Amino acid sequence: MNGSVKKLRFDFAVLTSHVLPMTNISADTPIPFAGDGLDHAEYQRSPEQLQAFMKKTSARAILLHKGRIGIGDGGRPHRIHPADLVGHDLMAPGPVFLGLEGERPIFAFSVANPTAFMPEENFVSLRGIGGNLSPADLALAGRAKSLFAWHHIEKHCVSCGGKTVARDGGIKQKCTGCGAESFPRVSPVAIMLVTDGDRVLLGRGPGWPEGFMSALAGFVSPGETIEEAAQREVLEEAGIKTQNARYVFSQPWPFPAQLMMGFILEAVTTDITLDPKELEDARWFTRDEILAVFEKRGNAFACPPRQTIAHQLLRQWLAETA
Ligand SMILES: [Zn+2]
């Protein structure tokens, strides 16, 4: 394992378990955290246009606080008119324009004092409520969370260290020193379902709650393709050689801004040699065992929640091998 390459860690602190029908996700099921339904309006982001959007009667804003989403009545992200934010302390970079929902401009604000709007406990982690939001609300909230995280993390220019300021409604930054422009960072991660006939390899990271198993995953390293990253990570973490890495689908993962790229690979070797720094356990599970877990009549392992791509990859494989 290259020490400079960070590893992905799923946080299983809060889990909700859902059973979904065995359908092909790419055909009729939205990818979690994708499909916000907005026109991102990349060419309607001049200061004048944004002001006009903000003043529209139909405009709405969702609220965040420290990366948590304000949830209102009905369990949806709470929406207020942007004018109702006047006079309140806002976190950098101020209003973020998420896009147009039909004709309705949608903004996001990160508020310094959440209790001015609702009880603080109504600001909820997307990890905890992700499975309960509609696909469009989940995608909208995830996009807002990633954009605010970017502005929070990258306050300074990577070239000269100058202070950066938001442009274009928060989808761009400009350095006040050298003038360089920068754009939201998205890190590609390969996540892999390794198959051996009717078996699938699942693993668990050190310290995960007892019983939880998931697909192996890792960040892409400079100079390699996503397929190479997928095969390298499986070899490094579990000692298994693979072939025919097949891309299935991808998923935005806003913790803070990964693009999870899902693969199904075929095992060439099947003996597991764990890298204990990366994995506490890895095992082969039969299709019957996995199907039983999804249908809640078996407990060979605890399944990742449905808003994770690991869950969706398993579901996809079950559908393909039915
Ligand atoms: Zn600069």
Side-chain angles (χ1 to χ4, degrees):
M1 174 67 211
N2 181 336
S4 67
V5 180
K6 289 185 297 178
K7 309 297 288 189
L8 185 77
R9 298 276 180 236
F10 279 120
D11 182 351
F12 288 101
V14 184
L15 287 169
T16 50
S17 180
H18 301 264
V19 178
L20 297 177
M22 294 300 161
T23 51
N24 184 328
I25 185 172
S26 57
D28 59 7
T29 313
I31 299 282
F33 293 107
D36 63 21
L38 298 191
D39 172 0
H40 291 175
E42 302 262 336
Y43 299 109
Q44 299 180 72
R45 291 175 172 270
S46 68
E48 299 75 24
Q49 180 68 72
L50 292 172
Q51 277 300 321
F53 281 154
M54 198 95 79
K55 289 176 180 165
K56 281 187 80 167
T57 308
S58 65
R60 290 293 180 273
I62 64 169
L63 304 178
L64 291 89
H65 175 65
K66 295 182 177 175
R68 293 168 173 253
I69 308 296
I71 299 296
D73 295 339
R76 295 194 62 191
H78 187 52
R79 291 181 169 198
I80 62 176
H81 192 275
D84 294 336
L85 277 300
V86 173
H88 291 281
D89 287 337
L90 303 175
M91 306 302 289
V96 165
F97 176 48
L98 296 176
L100 294 168
E101 185 181 75
E103 298 293 310
R104 182 195 300 280
I106 303 291
F107 291 86
F109 291 77
S110 180
V111 296
N113 178 16
T115 55
F117 302 93
M118 62 178 79
E120 188 162 358
E121 60 265 26
N122 285 28
F123 285 83
V124 180
S125 163
L126 272 183
R127 292 186 194 271
I129 57 161
N132 300 331
L133 295 182
S134 74
D137 282 343
L138 184 62
L140 191 75
R143 173 168 157 80
K145 182 182 184 307
S146 278
L147 285 167
F148 278 106
W150 174 55
H151 288 290
H152 180 71
I153 293 165
E154 298 199 8
K155 298 186 179 80
H156 296 93
C157 173
V158 295
S159 298
C160 77
K163 191 168 163 37
T164 56
V165 290
R167 288 284 182 270
D168 294 3
I171 61 165
K172 195 163 92 177
Q173 288 185 350
K174 192 173 174 73
C175 173
T176 55
C178 71
E181 292 184 339
S182 55
F183 297 87
R185 194 183 301 272
V186 175
S187 301
V189 172
I191 180 160
M192 296 75 69
L193 213 53
V194 180
T195 64
D196 173 44
D198 78 335
R199 300 191 301 169
V200 159
L201 180 74
L202 299 177
R204 49 180 284 114
W208 285 15
E210 193 58 38
F212 281 98
M213 305 291 279
S214 187
L216 309 191
F219 284 91
V220 179
S221 201
E224 69 183 1
T225 65
I226 188 87
E227 291 87 352
E228 287 174 324
Q231 295 192 265
R232 171 183 55 75
E233 288 285 344
V234 175
L235 186 61
E236 287 175 352
E237 296 190 357
I240 288 175
K241 292 181 181 169
T242 55
Q243 66 183 5
N244 297 333
R246 173 168 62 92
Y247 170 75
V248 185
F249 42 64
S250 64
Q251 180 203 41
W253 186 243
F255 305 98
Q258 283 81 262
L259 180 65
M260 310 294 296
M261 303 177 79
F263 285 84
I264 296 178
L265 304 87
E266 297 167 9
V268 175
T269 63
T270 57
D271 288 343
I272 297 168
T273 305
L274 291 180
D275 174 355
K277 292 196 299 297
E278 303 293 343
L279 291 180
E280 185 177 289
D281 190 14
R283 274 180 283 147
W284 293 101
F285 292 89
T286 66
R287 186 179 187 283
D288 286 345
E289 287 176 314
I290 290 165
L291 188 61
V293 167
F294 270 67
E295 293 179 346
K296 295 197 170 178
R297 55 181 173 76
N299 57 359
F301 65 97
C303 192
R306 70 170 173 178
Q307 66 266 33
T308 64
I309 191 172
H311 180 110
Q312 303 296 347
L313 278 172
L314 281 167
R315 199 157 71 93
Q316 171 77 14
W317 180 73
L318 287 173
E320 287 182 4
T321 53

